[in-house]
């Protein structure tokens, strides 16, 4: 009798739901754009028609491609099982980067249509700098995926006496930190941290960045030092994986702290320049890329060292 794989079945069911959802989104845009064109109200003109078509075709290709993969899931499963853990981790990484690139492209296509007009909801849907948009939900999802991998490693490490309590604790703290980061990305709790700073400090820092940085950056630095010390021990025999993790954390902090605060500086000095959306894109792409790199390391570690 073949062994059952509930997580694998759940993964394929999720892929099917995503594929059908993308096809439904493509159909919606097709019907909506035809209705607007026939109405002749002038609200769907060039280059807006190109934007809608690109988003529609992207959704259609993702949905159709997903259904093709589902139809060939047995061959795909055999192909994945034939890969080494490192190859599997690289495949997952490039898949996440591809999704990230699509979301960045959708943001750049719809960024010029803010407000509450017919295009307002489309701008909000792909806005990288807004809670509950598609890119934000994706970033929350990969944060929680990284947290789930860290929790899995912690659970499996606890079953091996040689792993040590410090290793289990490190992975548990990692999972908890990433879970909280996901909630923060969704609800922006960190923005309230500026209230913990004195009024004099807020006044002197105004115009140079967000006041929450005065609290958030020291906390992030302390966590970074802790994780660096612990992961140096865990990956002592595999320095390349440690380098990837350092790059992941550095990219995330560069986007979340430096680029975000630079945006505030630009707004204070120059209002809302045309280049501001580019910095929005850079911020979120750095954060997502950092998370994807962490997932690559965590997945490989879970598959290779803890079978």
């Amino acid at each position: 009798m073949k062994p059952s794989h509930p997580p694998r079945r759940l993964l394929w069911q999720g892929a099917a739901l995503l594929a059908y959802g993308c096809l439904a989104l493509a159909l919606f845009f097709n019907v909506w754009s035809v209705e607007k064109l026939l109405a002749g109200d002038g609200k769907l003109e060039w280059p807006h028609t190109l934007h809608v078509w690109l988003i529609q075709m992207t959704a259609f290709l993702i949905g159709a491609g997903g259904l093709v993969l589902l139809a060939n899931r047995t061959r795909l499963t055999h192909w994945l099982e034939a890969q080494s853990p490192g190859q599997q981790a690289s495949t997952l990484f490039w898949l996440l980067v591809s999704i990230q690139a699509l979301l960045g492209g959708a943001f750049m296509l719809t960024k010029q249509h803010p407000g509450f007009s017919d295009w307002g909801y489309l701008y909000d849907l792909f806005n990288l700098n807004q809670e509950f948009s598609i890119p934000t939900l994706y970033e929350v999802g990969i944060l929680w995926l990284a947290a789930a991998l860290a929790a899995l490693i912690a659970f499996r490490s606890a079953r091996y006496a040689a792993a040590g309590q410090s290793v289990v604790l490190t992975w548990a703290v990692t999972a908890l930190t990433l879970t909280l980061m996901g909630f923060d990305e969704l609800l922006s709790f960190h923005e309230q941290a500026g209230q913990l700073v004195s009024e004099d400090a807020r006044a002197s820092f105004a115009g140079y960045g967000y006041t929450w940085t005065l609290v958030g950056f020291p906390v992030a630095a302390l966590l970074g030092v802790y994780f660096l010390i612990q992961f140096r021990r865990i990956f002592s025999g595999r320095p390349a994986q440690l380098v990837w993790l350092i790059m992941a954390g550095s990219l995330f902090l560069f986007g979340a702290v430096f680029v975000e605060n630079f945006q505030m500086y630009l707004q204070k000095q120059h209002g809302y320049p045309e280049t501001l959306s580019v910095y929005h894109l850079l911020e979120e792409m750095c954060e997502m890329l950092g998370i994807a790199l962490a997932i690559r390391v965590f997945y490989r570690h879970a598959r290779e060292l803890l079978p």
Side-chain angles (χ1 to χ4, degrees):
M1 180 181 295
K2 293 183 178 180
S4 60
H5 299 281
R8 185 177 298 171
R9 288 202 303 271
L10 186 63
L11 178 63
W12 287 121
Q13 289 170 0
L17 183 63
L18 176 63
Y20 285 118
C22 287
L23 288 176
L25 181 65
L27 179 61
F28 166 77
F29 274 117
N30 183 66
V31 174
W32 178 80
S33 59
V34 170
E35 178 186 353
K36 288 295 179 182
L37 286 172
L38 293 178
D41 54 9
K43 294 182 179 179
L44 193 61
E45 300 175 348
W46 181 267
H48 308 333
T49 49
L50 174 63
H51 299 166
V52 173
W53 181 82
L54 286 174
I55 295 172
Q56 175 186 329
M57 290 305 299
T58 300
F60 173 77
L61 290 174
I62 293 175
L67 292 182
V68 170
L69 290 177
L70 286 169
N72 295 274
R73 59 182 176 271
T74 302
R75 294 180 181 177
L76 181 62
T77 300
H78 291 162
W79 174 73
L80 287 173
E81 290 176 346
Q83 289 188 316
S84 66
Q87 291 173 325
Q88 291 178 1
S90 295
T91 300
L92 177 59
F93 170 75
W94 287 113
L95 175 62
L96 296 177
V97 170
S98 299
I99 297 173
Q100 171 183 334
L102 288 174
L103 292 174
F107 166 71
M108 294 302 291
L109 285 172
T110 58
K111 69 181 179 64
Q112 56 182 301
H113 310 293
F116 296 96
S117 63
D118 288 338
W119 281 88
Y121 78 93
L122 192 59
Y123 170 81
D124 294 336
L125 195 64
F126 294 102
N127 190 353
L128 291 169
N129 204 34
Q130 180 168 306
E131 293 81 3
F132 295 99
S133 65
I134 290 178
T136 299
L137 292 175
Y138 168 75
E139 186 168 347
V140 171
I142 59 176
L143 277 168
W144 287 347
L145 173 59
L149 288 171
L152 176 64
I153 295 172
F155 175 75
R156 289 185 173 180
S157 298
R159 299 173 60 182
Y160 296 93
Q165 292 185 350
S166 63
V167 173
V168 177
L169 179 62
T170 298
W171 287 112
V173 172
T174 302
L176 177 61
T177 302
L178 290 168
T179 301
L180 293 176
M181 287 171 62
F183 281 111
D184 179 69
E185 184 68 27
L186 196 61
L187 302 173
S188 298
F189 293 135
H190 67 275
E191 295 181 359
Q192 307 304 318
Q195 303 301 321
L196 301 175
V197 182
S198 66
E199 292 186 5
D200 292 339
R202 289 202 297 268
S204 61
F205 196 69
Y208 297 97
Y210 293 96
T211 54
W212 64 260
T213 311
L214 297 174
V215 177
F217 185 73
V219 172
L222 288 174
L223 283 172
V225 171
Y226 167 77
F227 286 129
L228 178 61
I229 294 172
Q230 296 301 321
F231 283 131
R232 278 190 64 187
R233 297 173 182 172
I234 293 173
F235 295 104
S236 59
R238 310 177 66 195
Q241 301 307 306
L242 178 63
V243 171
W244 284 119
L245 275 181
I246 293 173
M247 288 179 59
S250 300
L251 274 170
F252 189 91
L253 285 178
F254 176 76
V257 177
F258 177 78
V259 179
E260 184 166 351
N261 278 279
F262 185 67
Q263 292 175 58
M264 169 61 75
Y265 174 78
L266 281 180
Q267 292 178 40
K268 290 288 186 179
Q269 301 297 323
H270 306 288
Y272 288 86
E274 288 293 327
T275 57
L276 192 62
S277 59
V278 177
Y279 291 106
H280 286 326
L281 180 66
L282 178 62
E283 173 195 344
E284 299 301 328
M285 293 298 103
C286 286
E287 292 181 11
M288 291 181 188
L289 185 58
I291 301 167
L293 281 172
I295 289 174
R296 182 185 187 275
V297 175
F298 293 172
Y299 180 88
R300 179 170 181 172
H301 187 67
R303 291 282 295 144
E304 195 169 61
L305 298 183
L306 300 169

